Amino acid sequence: MDELLKILKNNALESPENIAKMLNVSADEVRERIADYEKRGVIKGYQAIVNEDVLDIDRVTALIEVKVNPEREGGFNHVASRISKFPEVQSIYLVSGDFDLLLFVVGRDLKQVAFFVSEKLATIDGVQGTATHFMLKTYKHHGVLMESQDEYERLKVSP
Amino acid sequence: MNTNASKSVRDVIAGHLDAVPRSGIRDFFEIVSTMQDVISLGIGEPDFDTPWHIREASIFALERGVTSYTSNFGLLKLRRAIAAYVDRMFGLRYSPEHEVLVTVGVSEALDIAIRAICNPGDEIMYHEPCYVSYGPLIQFAHGVPVAVPTSIENEFRLTRDALEAHVTPKTKALILNYPNNPTGAALTQADAQAIAEFVIDHDLLLITDEIYAELSYDHEHISAASFPNMRERTIFLHGFSKAWAMTGFRVGYACAPPELTDAMMKIHQYTMLCAPILSQEAALEALDEPENDIAGMKSEYQKRRNYLLRSFQEMGLSCFEPRGAFYAFPSVRETGLSSKDFALRLLEEEKVACVPGTAFGPSGEGFVRCSYATAFDALKEAIKRTAAFLKRL
Ligand SMILES: Cc1ncc(COP(=O)(O)O)c(C=O)c1O
């Protein structure tokens, strides 16, 4: 992957001036390249990584396995695209293994997610079955550990 | 204890230690450690944690009760992995049975290499500025340290001319360290070849400290040991501290022809017995897929290096492009301050620590060592403060 993207994936707030120094190019070039990535849809947006466990918010996330009967034309794509449009669905992936689609769904509470699964998801043509797992605790999210560990300090000056 | 008694205690300390100077790094460390909120560019070790699979392997070994001594040479499976790696990376073939010795870091390897070859009065050359232990280790072995200054004019590369100016009939060996701590300098193919020819022409031994070899930017590392007829007169030293971020494991190795290895073994077996077995297990794991472990850290160092260089440029601090390790060595001559005063004032006024170049020998005067083994956010803050400091000067 392009070094510029690596830097932004690690810290999207890094300034074009600093990135320019790291990559030994001009800040204008960095701005142009970022704009180009945005225009081409390589960069789809920027979000904060929030540790929701420390916030007192009423929200649940469920991971839902969905078995799908693929259609003769379009395979899984048609069903997946219909499911994607529900705002409750945060992420959706086609996966190999015992089931076909993996969803991350958020709701106000357990009841709301259960309602979504039974009334919206299970009733879609082609959906054969679902299994819902509620998330209890987040240890690591987007490559970031949620629980900060005590930093072990190195010597301030060493040979 | 009364004063008379402590005087006599002082008298019993071995005389040759008087000639060994206190480490300039220690002096500086003591000042820094009394201060709060210091951002340090003075750290000679990676800021990354050891890759998790390596730590995990040593935890697993500990759980299995792997807590014994090993062969004095080190675990045979580790020596095999080392021999294979040194062959692949440096094109040097060593027999794992007779020519590889696992040590407690390159630190111990340097000590036993020097003691194995040095008779009292033998001269051992090394280029300067350099790692702090070379001179003292030669003194401990009752040898004569001969520092060969390198300079910014050659970007701190060691030249044959400089070597010829310092070689005498008593010269026994040359210690080489590229990529270099503290300058970040690296050798070109031609430099390395000229040094190899010099070593052969004067019938010397070469002790080469390759601890930063993997951290070479925009060029392929070349070892002076890899030229024809060098292997039999070389003690090749390497370790895991830097490229694998394993300083605390204390594990490294020496590779040399059997006679030299045997000589080092004589010292190693009675002083260390063996390197810690858990660290040896960790080192074995580290050699499993080294390229994978190192690539990420190296590319991060390289970005920080670029950032530092450009930032120095912007603030008018001249710095040659370091080509390896994780140090930049900017010149502070134009500020009119000595290395030490620059470092002290930067510390006192802006709480940024860097190491005066003189800690690495008198030829480091006029320079400071800035380590970029420092998290990027800290690096940015250090640059901001240093720029403010320079503006006020
Ligand atoms: C050039 C050089 N050699 C050797 C060492 C010591 O390494 P080790 O941790 O393997 O003892 C260092 C550490 O700073 C170094 O910079």
Side-chain angles (χ1 to χ4, degrees):
Chain A
M1 201 191 300
D2 178 14
E3 290 295 331
L4 171 58
L5 289 177
K6 280 195 214 163
I7 293 169
L8 290 175
K9 272 177 70 83
N10 187 44
N11 179 7
L13 294 180
E14 198 59 82
S15 73
E17 286 73 21
N18 285 338
I19 296 174
K21 287 184 187 174
M22 284 191 258
L23 300 181
N24 209 7
V25 296
S26 72
D28 280 342
E29 180 180 336
V30 171
R31 279 188 210 95
E32 275 163 31
R33 273 163 64 188
I34 292 175
D36 186 53
Y37 277 132
E38 289 169 349
K39 209 168 92 198
R40 281 164 46 209
V42 175
I43 293 176
K44 303 289 276 187
Y46 306 87
Q47 294 181 334
I49 298 166
V50 176
N51 182 358
E52 296 191 1
D53 291 355
V54 301
L55 295 174
D56 211 11
I57 45 175
D58 293 325
R59 214 167 95 116
V60 294
T61 303
L63 182 163
I64 304 175
E65 305 169 0
V66 184
K67 265 196 177 146
V68 176
N69 205 356
E71 292 171 358
R72 194 181 170 86
E73 273 169 41
F76 296 102
N77 292 348
H78 184 60
V79 177
S81 135
R82 282 190 67 183
I83 297 175
S84 304
K85 300 216 169 76
F86 287 102
E88 295 90 330
V89 177
Q90 293 292 298
S91 316
I92 170 167
Y93 309 94
L94 178 63
V95 296
S96 61
D98 288 343
F99 56 96
D100 305 301
L101 297 175
L102 174 63
L103 278 55
F104 287 81
V105 171
V106 294
R108 199 173 51 251
D109 52 24
L110 207 134
K111 241 160 102 184
Q112 200 191 32
V113 174
F115 177 81
F116 169 78
V117 174
S118 59
E119 303 298 316
K120 307 274 173 54
L121 190 59
T123 56
I124 290 175
D125 260 358
V127 170
Q128 282 183 318
T130 65
T132 303
H133 311 269
F134 284 97
M135 302 222 300
L136 303 180
K137 181 172 177 180
T138 307
Y139 295 95
K140 192 176 181 182
H141 187 61
H142 283 265
V144 179
L145 291 175
M146 289 295 115
E147 222 153 287
S148 53
Q149 297 177 319
D150 285 345
E151 276 286 320
Y152 186 81
E153 234 196 303
R154 296 175 299 157
L155 297 176
K156 283 280 186 207
V157 181
S158 58
Chain B
M1 205 188 282
N2 66 35
T3 16
N4 281 344
S6 42
K7 239 186 206 152
S8 62
V9 167
R10 195 150 163 45
D11 288 341
V12 300
I13 289 168
H16 69 290
L17 289 190
D18 283 343
V20 179
R22 262 176 69 90
S23 155
I25 298 241
R26 269 213 78 77
D27 288 345
F28 210 68
F29 172 76
E30 267 155 33
I31 304 170
V32 174
S33 57
T34 62
M35 298 177 67
Q36 296 286 310
D37 304 322
V38 170
I39 295 189
S40 186
L41 304 182
I43 305 179
E45 64 176 328
D47 61 311
F48 297 105
D49 293 330
T50 307
W52 173 245
H53 72 101
I54 297 173
R55 286 185 278 159
E56 211 268 339
S58 47
I59 294 168
F60 182 57
L62 188 57
E63 281 175 349
R64 284 195 336 265
V66 177
T67 57
S68 59
Y69 291 133
T70 69
S71 143
N72 294 132
F73 281 106
L75 297 168
L76 183 57
K77 57 185 180 180
L78 173 58
R79 284 181 278 140
R80 288 199 172 117
I82 289 170
Y85 179 70
V86 171
D87 185 11
R88 179 155 55 89
M89 166 93 187
F90 300 90
L92 290 164
R93 303 199 110 151
Y94 291 102
S95 140
E97 282 81 14
H98 310 292
E99 300 182 314
V100 178
L101 175 55
V102 180
T103 59
V104 180
V106 172
S107 298
E108 191 222 346
L110 279 161
D111 180 32
I112 60 176
I114 292 167
R115 281 201 275 165
I117 61 164
C118 186
N119 286 310
D122 281 352
E123 294 179 0
I124 299 185
M125 307 167 95
Y126 53 92
H127 50 95
E128 201 201 73
C130 68
Y131 185 54
V132 293
S133 80
Y134 301 159
L137 288 177
I138 297 165
Q139 287 174 299
F140 296 153
H142 305 280
V144 180
V146 178
V148 181
T150 58
S151 69
I152 183 69
E153 285 69 38
N154 292 313
E155 300 195 329
F156 295 102
R157 283 151 31 227
L158 181 59
T159 62
R160 174 140 193 177
D161 284 349
L163 285 166
E164 292 291 357
H166 289 82
V167 70
T168 77
K170 286 192 181 160
T171 307
K172 184 77 174 271
L174 168 67
I175 305 177
L176 202 61
N177 167 234
Y178 288 101
N180 179 252
N181 176 10
T183 61
L187 295 179
T188 64
Q189 171 98 11
D191 296 328
Q193 182 163 2
I195 292 166
E197 284 165 7
F198 166 83
V199 167
I200 291 171
D201 290 349
H202 291 274
D203 196 18
L204 306 180
L205 288 164
L206 176 71
I207 298 175
T208 179
D209 175 350
E210 308 264 347
I211 196 162
Y212 294 103
E214 289 80 4
L215 302 178
S216 297
Y217 311 114
D218 303 326
H219 74 286
E220 285 278 322
H221 172 73
I222 171 99
S223 172
S226 60
F227 289 92
N229 304 318
M230 283 303 290
R231 184 191 176 285
E232 56 265 32
R233 54 174 73 245
T234 295
I235 302 178
F236 177 95
L237 311 181
H238 200 358
F240 299 88
S241 288
K242 310 296 172 168
W244 285 266
M246 289 174 65
T247 45
F249 282 88
R250 311 305 307 123
V251 61
Y253 50 92
C255 303
E259 303 76 19
L260 285 168
T261 301
D262 275 353
M264 290 189 283
M265 169 56 88
K266 275 195 183 158
I267 306 168
H268 174 76
Q269 69 187 342
Y270 296 126
T271 52
M272 287 299 163
L273 211 164
C274 66
I277 191 167
L278 285 172
S279 302
Q280 294 193 47
E281 289 282 350
L284 182 66
E285 177 69 21
L287 288 176
D288 202 37
E289 287 192 323
E291 287 76 8
N292 267 354
D293 291 331
I294 295 167
M297 292 191 265
K298 181 176 158 185
S299 109
E300 184 66 27
Y301 289 138
Q302 186 158 5
K303 281 178 228 157
R304 295 178 191 171
R305 176 197 72 152
N306 293 348
Y307 173 79
L308 213 54
L309 268 184
R310 281 268 288 270
S311 302
F312 285 154
Q313 232 170 45
E314 281 179 11
M315 62 177 91
L317 212 52
S318 89
C319 186
F320 80 101
E321 185 181 359
R323 295 170 68 232
F326 36 62
Y327 308 106
F329 206 55
S331 164
V332 297
R333 283 176 185 162
E334 285 187 10
T335 63
L337 298 175
S338 70
S339 296
K340 193 158 178 201
D341 288 343
F342 182 94
L344 278 175
R345 283 188 53 185
L346 182 59
L347 180 63
E348 275 157 14
E349 294 175 28
E350 292 289 345
K351 296 197 171 182
V352 173
C354 58
V355 183
T358 43
F360 308 95
S363 48
E365 182 54 88
F367 298 85
V368 294
R369 187 191 74 174
C370 299
S371 163
Y372 47 90
T374 307
F376 194 64
D377 286 338
L379 211 54
K380 280 191 281 191
E381 180 62 25
I383 284 297
K384 210 168 86 190
R385 296 186 190 182
T386 308
F389 171 73
L390 283 173
K391 238 186 206 150
R392 276 201 315 274
L393 274 184

